[in-house]
Every structure is written in structure tokens, then in C-alpha cells.
Amino acid sequence: MVNKGDRNKIYFLIVVILALLGTNAYLYLKDRHQSQRFVTVSTEKDRLKLEVEKIEAELDKVNALNVTLTDKLQEEQKLARAKIAELKLALQNGKLTQGDLNIAQKEVKELREFVKNYSDEILRLEKENAYLRTQRDSLKEFANTANQKAGDLEKKNTELEAKVKTGAALKAGNVSIVAYKVKNNGKTIEVTRASTAKKLTINFNIASNALAAKDYHKIYLRVFDPAGNLIANGENLFEADGEQMQYTSSTSISYNDDNTIYKMDWINPNPFIKGTYSIILYADGFTMGKAAIELK
């Protein structure tokens, strides 16, 4: 039989064993809970890191649109960049508590919402800018077309003005030349010999022209000797047929479109020589008429 003292020892050992088992179980459950808590914290930290990187990538993507930002948007982007840097630094810390993670979760959520709103605003500006660019290009094209039409019209007007100017120029008809001898008393005698000739008289009328101005017109005369040399004073210059030329003599006539016969005298400062003298008349910047006379 087991005596009372031995029985008490057995009970005591059982109690000790149970206490040890309980302590081991408590420590096991505590360690398991700590391990699970560490895994949870580590996993959430990695998830938040990835989320922050996605938010930063989204911000970079939106900024790649090259939209001109307002001062307000520039300030908001600066704050977002600062918050991203702050969160990255915090999540790199290896000793984060659950409380730290809770705060980080809240800030990431707010940052995500901010970047979404920021992106929406940038996209709205991009659409608005695209519309404005389209309008600008349309206006530019319209302006170019208008300028081209204006240029074409100006060219046509210039051509028309040139045609009108050409059409309005006086044209001589029935141009003839007579050589005269001038006597001492001033009387003139028509001659055909170079040795006795002193002056040439050019007779002409003006062809009827409804476009020509009924006004005074300057007439320029160019005389060429039988060798083809222009007889002119080097200081006598005028413009005709698009170039500047020397002239022999000039006069003014009054044009009234009434078939008037005009004459223009030219006294040769030098002796005439045998051969053909030719003349050209000019008016209103264009050739008016031509004629020639042969002196024996």
C-alpha cells in the first residue's frame, strides 16, 4: 500500500508537470502569435511600398504629357512628391509597429486619392489644350488660306493695274518725219539732203483710247543717227518699258481724244550726215511710236 506521504508527493509532481505543460503551451502560443504578427507587419509593409511605387509611376506618367501646369498644380505636385519620399523613407524602416502601419495606410490612401484627382485635372487640361491646338491649327490654316488668297488677289490686281496702265498709255498713229533747212530769217524749207538739213519735225496723231487720261502727257523723243548712235544729253533720263533710258528731247501735249495732229521739232546740234535717221516716241512709260527718214 502507498502511504499517505508518498501519495502527496505524487500529487505534487502531477501539479508541477501540469504547470510546466501549461507554461510551455503559453510560450508556444505566444511565440506563434508574435511570428504571425511579424509576418503580417512585414507583408503589409511590402504591399504599401509597392502601392507607393505605383502612385509615383502614375504621377510620372501624367507629367509625361507635358501639360503646362498652373501654379496651384505645381504646388500640389511638389507636396505629393514630398509625401512619396516621406513614405518611402518610413517604409524602409525595419522596426514598424502596427500603429505606424495604420498611419502609413491612411496616408497612402489619401495620396492615392490625391493623385487620382491630380491625374483627372491634368487629363482635363490635356483635352482642353488639344481642343485649343485644333482651333489654333484651324485658324492658322484659315489665315494661311486667307493670306494666299490675298496674295493671289494682290498679284491679280497688280497684273490688272499693269494691263490697265498699258492699255491707258498713248499710242501714236501716222508717224512721219520731215527734214527742214532753217534760213537766217527763221523760215524753214523742207529738204531731203543731209548737208542742208538743220532740224527734224515729227508729225503724229494719237489713237483713240477710252482708258487714256484726257490730260497733259509727257512725250519723250529718242533720235538715232545712221550709225545707230543715240543723240542725247547724258543727263536727260526717263523710265519706259521697265528700264531707265536717255532721251533726245521731250515735250508735253494735251490729249482730248479728238484726232488732233501733233508735231515735235528737234534741231540737231551737229551737222546731219547721209543715211537713215530713226526716231522712237515714248509716252506714259511705254513705246508710243516709231519712224525713220533717209537723208541723201
Side-chain angles (χ1 to χ4, degrees), residues 50-64:
L50 182 60
E51 185 70 19
V52 171
E53 289 173 358
K54 287 181 178 179
I55 291 172
E56 186 176 26
E58 182 65 25
L59 193 59
D60 292 338
K61 179 181 177 182
V62 172
N63 287 336

Side-chain angles (χ1 to χ4, degrees), residues 199-213:
K199 76 172 184 177
L200 299 179
T201 296
I202 299 94
N203 300 296
F204 61 93
N205 61 16
I206 305 296
S208 181
N209 188 343
L211 294 176

Side-chain angles (χ1 to χ4, degrees), residues 45-292:
K45 184 172 70 172
D46 292 339
R47 189 189 70 79
L48 289 177
K49 282 183 180 179
L50 182 60
E51 185 70 19
V52 171
E53 289 173 358
K54 287 181 178 179
I55 291 172
E56 186 176 26
E58 182 65 25
L59 193 59
D60 292 338
K61 179 181 177 182
V62 172
N63 287 336
L65 294 175
N66 291 326
V67 175
T68 302
L69 302 179
T70 62
D71 292 341
K72 179 175 179 294
L73 287 174
Q74 290 180 15
E75 185 62 27
E76 288 179 349
Q77 181 188 171
K78 188 185 298 183
L79 292 174
R81 296 287 185 186
K83 178 55 67 176
I84 288 172
E86 182 182 330
L87 282 170
K88 278 185 171 182
L89 185 61
L91 292 171
Q92 286 174 0
N93 186 0
K95 297 180 180 179
L96 287 179
T97 65
Q98 187 63 49
D100 295 332
L101 282 178
N102 292 338
I103 293 173
Q105 287 172 341
K106 181 181 178 183
E107 291 179 344
V108 168
K109 182 179 179 182
E110 291 174 351
L111 185 60
R112 188 188 302 115
E113 184 66 23
F114 165 78
V115 172
K116 180 182 179 303
N117 294 335
Y118 179 84
S119 300
D120 291 343
E121 180 64 14
I122 296 296
L123 292 174
R124 185 190 68 78
L125 287 175
E126 172 62 15
K127 289 180 180 178
E128 185 177 290
N129 288 346
Y131 172 76
L132 292 175
R133 283 194 297 270
T134 301
Q135 292 295 101
R136 179 202 62 193
D137 292 342
S138 298
L139 289 174
K140 188 175 181 180
E141 183 178 355
F142 175 79
N144 289 338
T145 302
N147 288 337
Q148 183 176 355
K149 288 183 178 179
D152 293 342
L153 183 60
E154 184 178 357
K155 182 179 179 182
K156 289 180 179 178
N157 286 339
T158 302
E159 292 173 352
L160 181 59
E161 288 176 1
K163 289 180 180 179
V164 170
K165 186 176 180 181
T166 302
L170 298 181
K171 297 299 179 183
N174 302 317
V175 183
S176 64
I177 307 174
V178 180
Y180 288 96
K181 173 183 177 181
V182 181
K183 299 180 71 174
N184 293 332
N185 60 6
K187 292 183 67 175
T188 58
I189 300 173
E190 184 177 344
V191 295
T192 58
R193 299 178 65 86
S195 60
T196 56
K198 183 60 181 176
K199 76 172 184 177
L200 299 179
T201 296
I202 299 94
N203 300 296
F204 61 93
N205 61 16
I206 305 296
S208 181
N209 188 343
L211 294 176
K214 293 180 179 180
D215 199 350
Y216 283 94
H217 294 256
K218 192 72 173 285
I219 308 299
Y220 294 94
L221 170 68
R222 302 183 85 201
V223 180
F224 296 87
D225 66 18
N229 298 314
L230 173 67
I231 303 173
N233 184 329
E235 296 180 356
N236 294 339
L237 300 173
F238 76 112
E239 288 188 6
D241 297 329
E243 60 180 302
Q244 192 174 63
M245 295 183 284
Q246 294 177 323
Y247 65 89
T248 305
S249 180
S250 67
T251 188
S252 291
I253 65 170
S254 178
Y255 173 71
N256 295 301
D257 198 11
D258 56 2
N259 294 317
T260 298
I261 301 298
Y262 302 92
K263 73 175 184 175
M264 189 172 183
D265 292 331
W266 173 67
I267 297 176
N268 192 349
N270 304 307
F272 280 98
I273 60 176
K274 291 182 180 181
T276 300
Y277 282 80
S278 60
I279 64 98
I280 304 176
L281 294 171
Y282 297 86
D284 305 318
F286 297 94
T287 300
M288 184 179 177
K290 299 179 181 180

